[in-house]
Amino acid sequence: MTKTTKSTAATADTPLLTDDQIRAMGEKDYMNAAQMAFFKSKLQQLEKDLLKNAGETTEHLRETVLVPDPADRATIEEEHALELRTRDRERKLLKKVQQSIAAIDAGDYGWCEETGEPIGIPRLIARPTATLSLEAQQRRELKQKLYGD
């Protein structure tokens, strides 16, 4: 199946489906309004969770505990560094989530950026921010492994 026309963005009155209902749909239903609404809802929830985690990290890092023992202080600093690395990864994911939501609004969501082929429902359920089909992603990873960035 190749991309011929893009579905319009989902409307608010479309009932949300479950993962199993989405998987059960045929190829002709690919990226219909119900699927767009499902993925937009999933991405908006992920965005909300990421923003909540960022707020919790900010609050946690503001809580400064002065400990006289250098080993305890090092442990606390290492925990903070780990938390900051995790939040940095989540910040990058948040950007991808927001780009995916924008793609849904534009009607471009679910199609491979390189080939124009459908990314596939199972892949989008597993990774809602995917922009490449599985085959295109494998080619890109192989190319990176062989030639570097």
Side-chain angles (χ1 to χ4, degrees), residues 5-17 22 25-42 104-105 107 109 111 121:
T5 59
K6 298 174 193 170
S7 299
T8 57
T11 58
D13 59 340
T14 307
L16 291 180
L17 303 173
I22 294 288
M25 290 182 167
E27 284 186 21
K28 64 179 175 41
D29 294 323
Y30 189 71
M31 287 300 119
N32 62 21
Q35 289 178 348
M36 291 287 222
F38 170 82
F39 286 112
K40 187 169 186 174
S41 171
K42 193 171 195 145
I104 288 174
D105 292 340
Y109 184 77
W111 303 99
I121 296 298

Side-chain angles (χ1 to χ4, degrees), residues 46-61:
L46 182 56
E47 179 183 36
K48 190 171 119 182
D49 293 344
L50 290 170
L51 290 171
K52 180 180 168 230
N53 288 346
E56 289 173 0
T57 297
T58 304
E59 289 302 315
H60 183 255
L61 292 176

Side-chain angles (χ1 to χ4, degrees), residues 96-107:
K96 289 180 180 181
V97 167
Q98 290 168 338
Q99 289 171 341
S100 295
I101 291 171
I104 288 174
D105 292 340

